[in-house]
Amino acid sequence: MDRGSGGKGNGVNLPLLRGHNDALVLDLLRAAGPCGLGRADLADRTGLTPQAVSKITARLRDEGLVADAGREASTGGKPRTLLKLVREARYAVGVHLDRDELTAVRVDLAGRVVTDWRGPLDFGAGPDVVVEDVVRAVARVCGDAGGGAGSGAGGSGGPVLGVGVAAPGPLDWRTGVLGRVTGYPQWAGFPLGEVLRSRLGLPVRVDKDTNAGVAAAGFDGAAADEAVAYVHVGTGLGAGLRLGGDGGVYRGRRSAAGEFGHQVLRLDGPPCRCGGRGCAEVLCLDAVAGGRLEEAARIVGEAAANLVALLDVDRVLLGGRVVAAAPDVFVDGVRGVVAARSLGGGEAVRVGLAGAGVAEGAAELVLGSVFGR
């Protein structure tokens, strides 16, 4: 396999991997932004031959995905044409099903939100009611007031590639079937992905809300080879993990990774809705309900410090409505505990706010296939 000296360096000159190579080029152009890159830069960073890059970019231009971004300043020879991603050529929809709120966004290929909608949700009302709410929300952000999303049209601009749905876990992300969601037994075994694909006429990816949260970590400037934990504090407490060198979400063999809130911090503590006692979630939510936000932040910090010690995490990103209501309290509280419990040596673990929401991350789960993730 040919490897370039910079960037991803894993392009290959084989016809069978045409889609893979296209994705490499698109991902580099996405990262470059509106300034774009030249063909020589693309060849160098992918390890592809200049001829292969020219064929790929010509094909992507024909598909409306790539356009000229101007010319480089001349250094004596003929100025090279720069290419950029046409971010409005395609869209993806992301939906976040919180227990009492639904958020939907439509994003372009650069991950920029172009339309969003938020409204109340009763997750406990059961699958039939929630499916109807999702169908209406997708229609709203796609600009289709009539409620039909099956055409794949984006309302304005390019077509919608698919819909990512972030839901409470546990669930099987491969099949889109929900498990025994804590407190909501009526959802167990419901094929949410299959039902929504039938109703929307679009590809649908279903994943845990915390996995969607960490899928958006690229928006925060996290490098692909960083180990990242996204910690969500809302109506529950959970985490999403990105541990591999390819920037992909770590879900575990049974889709059970990231049950962050159900680590036991206090033996024989108060009962948790999962059936255990003294879980981080029940302790944190009790402190939040009592207005003791600094205490809640310390509890999240202790749980995060356990995660850092176990997995050698480089970065902890915090999100969710509770964090959004008091960002400084949570960032300072978690950072303080993580630093105090550090075993020392190496670079300090970075703690900060997530730059994108769960709904945006759900859309990124759809876009990931475009960019080779």
Side-chain angles (χ1 to χ4, degrees):
M1 183 179 293
D2 295 334
R3 295 184 180 273
S5 59
K8 289 193 169 185
N10 56 350
V12 294
N13 295 297
L14 295 173
L16 290 176
L17 293 182
R18 164 179 157 175
H20 171 76
N21 291 337
D22 288 4
L24 285 179
V25 170
L26 287 171
D27 195 40
L28 287 169
L29 291 176
R30 185 193 201 197
C35 294
L37 289 171
R39 291 176 178 82
D41 295 318
L42 292 169
D44 181 59
R45 298 186 192 193
T46 60
L48 294 164
T49 66
Q51 293 84 355
V53 169
S54 292
K55 289 180 180 179
I56 290 169
T57 54
R59 182 165 61 243
L60 295 175
R61 184 193 295 274
D62 290 343
E63 295 173 4
L65 294 168
V66 166
D68 289 349
R71 292 183 178 272
E72 287 182 316
S74 176
T75 57
K78 181 180 178 181
R80 294 186 298 174
T81 299
L82 298 172
L83 301 172
K84 65 179 179 180
L85 178 72
V86 180
R87 40 188 204 186
E88 65 273 13
R90 306 286 190 275
Y91 294 94
V93 172
V95 177
H96 179 198
L97 301 179
D98 208 342
R99 290 165 173 82
D100 59 358
E101 185 177 72
L102 187 156
T103 304
V105 298
R106 180 163 59 100
V107 307
D108 61 20
L109 286 176
R112 180 187 59 174
V113 175
V114 295
T115 313
D116 66 314
W117 183 86
R118 178 176 285 116
L121 178 74
D122 181 4
F123 195 75
D128 291 343
V129 172
V130 172
V131 165
E132 294 303 322
D133 288 339
V134 172
V135 170
R136 285 192 291 268
V138 172
R140 286 187 177 100
V141 297
C142 287
D144 181 0
S151 66
S156 60
V160 172
L161 297 170
V163 178
V165 179
L171 57 82
D172 188 334
W173 66 277
R174 292 169 289 254
T175 63
V177 175
L178 272 69
R180 296 186 61 82
V181 181
T182 304
Y184 302 95
Q186 68 270 44
W187 280 92
F190 183 75
L192 182 59
E194 178 184 338
V195 171
L196 286 176
R197 279 190 290 274
S198 175
R199 291 294 309 275
L200 296 171
L202 290 167
V204 174
R205 292 196 61 180
V206 177
D207 211 333
K208 290 198 299 187
D209 45 13
T210 49
N211 287 343
V214 80
F219 295 128
D220 301 281
D225 60 352
E226 281 189 301
V228 179
Y230 167 76
V231 176
H232 188 89
V233 190
T235 55
L237 179 63
L241 302 172
R242 204 185 76 179
L243 303 177
D246 60 356
V249 177
Y250 179 77
R251 298 175 175 89
R253 188 170 182 177
R254 290 169 290 277
S255 298
E259 288 301 323
F260 174 86
H262 299 297
Q263 55 178 296
V264 175
L265 295 185
R266 185 184 301 168
L267 293 176
D268 302 320
C272 179
R273 56 188 176 182
C274 73
R277 301 185 70 90
C279 295
E281 179 174 288
V282 68
L283 299 175
C284 174
L285 295 184
D286 179 69
V288 171
R292 305 185 306 277
L293 295 185
E294 291 184 353
E295 177 185 339
R298 288 196 301 272
I299 291 167
V300 175
E302 291 291 348
N306 288 343
L307 200 62
V308 169
L310 284 169
L311 300 176
D312 196 18
V313 170
D314 299 305
R315 187 186 296 234
V316 177
L317 299 173
L318 305 175
R321 70 176 71 173
V322 174
V323 171
D328 292 340
V329 171
F330 277 89
V331 171
D332 291 345
V334 173
R335 182 183 289 144
V337 176
V338 169
R341 287 189 48 193
S342 170
L343 298 178
E347 186 177 343
V349 175
R350 282 160 288 176
V351 177
L353 297 174
V358 170
E360 290 94 315
E364 187 67 17
L365 293 172
V366 174
L367 292 180
S369 60
V370 176
F371 301 107
R373 291 188 292 278

